[in-house]
């Protein structure tokens, strides 16, 4: 099936199961918190700790909530050499945040089951990156793990709280490698929601000079997800390139049957109106 036929089928499936509507998320009410400040043991090829610098250290979140209208928190941080985010050392803070009434989303990474059970008592939803291609895992994260490790962790998290799988399109230096296999795996037991993000070639990382994934290939991945996960809410997350690429990507995503776009480009709103979509706007991160 060519891409135009796939896009037509994808939008038909989306409209049949969800209606002709789109959600645009502007997550000003979600505060991104780092449990490791700006440090990460892995220095991954696509990040090198860069994105931790934009987060609020966990010990100083109180200062932020005094100046902003915050209703939820995204708890993240750098990874250990085993690939887990050490949120389990901040359980008392998690308890406090829940008592204060915040909704909590978290990145746990490849956390062991005992720690997952302990942490997830307080977590409303986990955003979990699924990566199946062993070459990609080694090249990007520098760890000796495989798809079975990711599947085991994902299945463990599902025992204790809600989980929204995340798939980074083009994670391996802009190549599409392993994404279709993840979609096939998820189709066996479809999640309520899934979030797609897209590799951002980031300055001062190993991947700063690569190109983001080809948009036609990216569209095919999104269509495949819509077709094989007909009743799953598909989000296009905030982590994706900016500029003209984002403008084109967002327009394509609308035509591939996504349900939600975080921080959409201006042209996405124009495209949605052109497609006679009903637009809803929300103020928290995409999985909340």
């Amino acid at each position: 099936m060519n891409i135009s036929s796939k896009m037509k089928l994808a939008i038909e499936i989306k409209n049949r199961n969800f209606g002709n509507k789109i959600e645009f998320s502007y997550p000003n009410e979600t505060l991104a918190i780092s449990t490791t400040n700006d440090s990460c043991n892995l220095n991954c090829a696509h990040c090198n700790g860069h994105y931790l610098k934009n987060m609020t250290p966990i010990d100083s979140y109180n200062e932020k909530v005094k100046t902003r209208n915050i209703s939820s928190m995204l708890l993240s941080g750098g990874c250990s050499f085993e690939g887990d985010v050490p949120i389990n050392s901040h359980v008392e803070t998690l308890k406090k945040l829940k008592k204060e009434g915040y909704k909590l989303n978290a990145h746990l990474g490849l956390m062991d089951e005992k720690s997952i059970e302990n942490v997830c008592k307080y977590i409303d939803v986990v955003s979990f990156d699924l990566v199946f291609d062993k070459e990609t895992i080694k090249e990007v994260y520098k760890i000796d793990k495989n798809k079975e490790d990711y599947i085991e962790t994902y299945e463990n998290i599902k025992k204790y709280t809600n989980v929204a799988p995340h798939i980074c399109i083009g994670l391996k230096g802009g190549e599409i490698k392993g994404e279709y296999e993840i979609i096939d795996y998820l189709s066996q037991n479809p999640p309520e929601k899934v979030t797609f993000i897209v590799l951002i070639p980031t300055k001062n990382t190993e991947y700063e000079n690569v190109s983001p994934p080809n948009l036609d290939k990216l569209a095919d991945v999104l269509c495949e997800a819509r077709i094989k996960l007909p009743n799953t809410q598909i989000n296009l997350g905030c982590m994706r390139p900016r500029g003209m690429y984002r403008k084109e990507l967002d327009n394509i995503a609308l035509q591939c049957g996504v349900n939600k776009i975080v921080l959409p480009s201006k042209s996405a709103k124009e495209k949605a109106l052109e497609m006679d979509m009903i637009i809803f706007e929300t103020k928290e991160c995409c999985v909340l």
Side-chain angles (χ1 to χ4, degrees), residues 6-175:
K6 252 188 166 178
M7 289 169 88
K8 185 180 177 186
L9 176 58
I11 203 75
E12 284 173 1
I13 291 170
K14 185 250 184 175
N15 288 347
R16 182 169 64 243
N17 293 333
F18 296 96
N20 190 25
K21 58 187 180 182
I22 186 71
E23 191 173 323
F24 289 151
S25 174
Y26 303 89
N28 301 318
E29 293 185 4
T30 300
L31 182 65
I33 288 178
S34 172
T35 57
T36 62
N37 296 329
D38 61 356
S39 67
C40 177
N41 288 330
L42 300 186
N43 297 315
C44 302
H46 66 320
C47 174
N48 196 27
H50 172 80
Y51 295 98
L52 295 174
K53 295 171 186 173
N54 300 323
M55 295 181 183
T56 299
I58 193 165
D59 294 330
S60 58
Y61 78 88
N62 269 319
E63 297 166 26
K64 287 280 186 179
V65 298
K66 288 175 186 173
T67 59
R68 285 175 53 188
N69 182 26
I70 301 297
S71 58
S72 57
M73 309 272 187
L74 167 61
L75 295 143
S76 190
C79 288
S80 75
F81 291 112
E82 286 299 306
D84 66 298
V85 180
I87 288 174
N88 52 329
S89 59
H90 295 278
V91 168
E92 290 306 312
T93 303
L94 299 184
K95 284 184 191 177
K96 185 170 180 285
L97 289 170
K98 285 310 294 177
K99 278 186 181 176
E100 291 170 352
Y102 295 107
K103 285 181 277 184
L104 301 182
N105 174 21
H107 294 148
L108 303 184
L110 295 173
M111 188 177 275
D112 66 272
E113 185 172 1
K114 188 175 179 183
S115 297
I116 288 168
E117 182 180 9
N118 194 31
V119 165
C120 286
K121 293 172 187 173
Y122 312 102
I123 301 297
D124 295 285
V125 60
V126 171
S127 294
F128 184 72
D129 294 298
L130 279 173
V131 190
F132 280 6
D133 180 66
K134 190 168 176 63
E135 268 184 43
T136 302
I137 296 165
K138 187 173 182 180
E139 183 176 308
V140 174
Y141 300 124
K142 326 293 184 192
I143 54 178
D144 184 24
K145 302 290 182 181
N146 53 46
K147 77 174 185 180
E148 286 74 24
D149 294 307
Y150 282 85
I151 289 171
E152 181 183 1
T153 306
Y154 175 68
E155 295 295 338
N156 282 338
I157 295 169
K158 282 167 65 178
K159 295 176 190 174
Y160 301 105
T161 193
N162 300 310
V163 56
H166 281 45
I167 302 170
C168 183
I169 303 176
L171 178 60
K172 191 179 187 293
E175 288 181 56

Side-chain angles (χ1 to χ4, degrees), residues 176-191:
I176 305 294
K177 196 165 186 191
E179 289 87 336
Y180 291 101
E181 188 181 358
I182 298 169
I183 292 167
D184 285 341
Y185 164 73
L186 291 175
S187 70
Q188 296 165 28
N189 187 11

Side-chain angles (χ1 to χ4, degrees), residues 23 32 42 192 209 229 260:
E23 191 173 323
L42 300 186
E192 181 186 339
N209 294 316
L229 301 167
K260 183 186 291 191

Side-chain angles (χ1 to χ4, degrees), residues 153-248:
T153 306
Y154 175 68
E155 295 295 338
N156 282 338
I157 295 169
K158 282 167 65 178
K159 295 176 190 174
Y160 301 105
T161 193
N162 300 310
V163 56
H166 281 45
I167 302 170
C168 183
I169 303 176
L171 178 60
K172 191 179 187 293
E175 288 181 56
I176 305 294
K177 196 165 186 191
E179 289 87 336
Y180 291 101
E181 188 181 358
I182 298 169
I183 292 167
D184 285 341
Y185 164 73
L186 291 175
S187 70
Q188 296 165 28
N189 187 11
E192 181 186 339
K193 56 189 72 171
V194 61
T195 295
F196 284 91
I197 54 178
V198 182
L199 177 76
I200 304 171
T202 301
K203 194 174 179 182
N204 297 323
T205 69
E206 290 174 43
Y207 284 167
E208 68 175 311
N209 294 316
V210 304
S211 296
N214 173 278
L215 284 167
D216 284 343
K217 292 180 179 178
L218 185 150
D220 194 77
V221 172
L222 290 178
C223 285
E224 190 78 5
R226 178 76 289 156
I227 293 163
K228 290 191 173 175
L229 301 167
N231 297 299
T232 293
Q233 177 184 306
I234 297 178
N235 306 320
L236 183 61
C238 57
M239 298 299 291
R240 61 191 195 281
R242 296 184 179 274
M244 184 56 71
Y245 185 94
R246 176 175 287 211
K247 179 180 175 181
E248 293 179 19

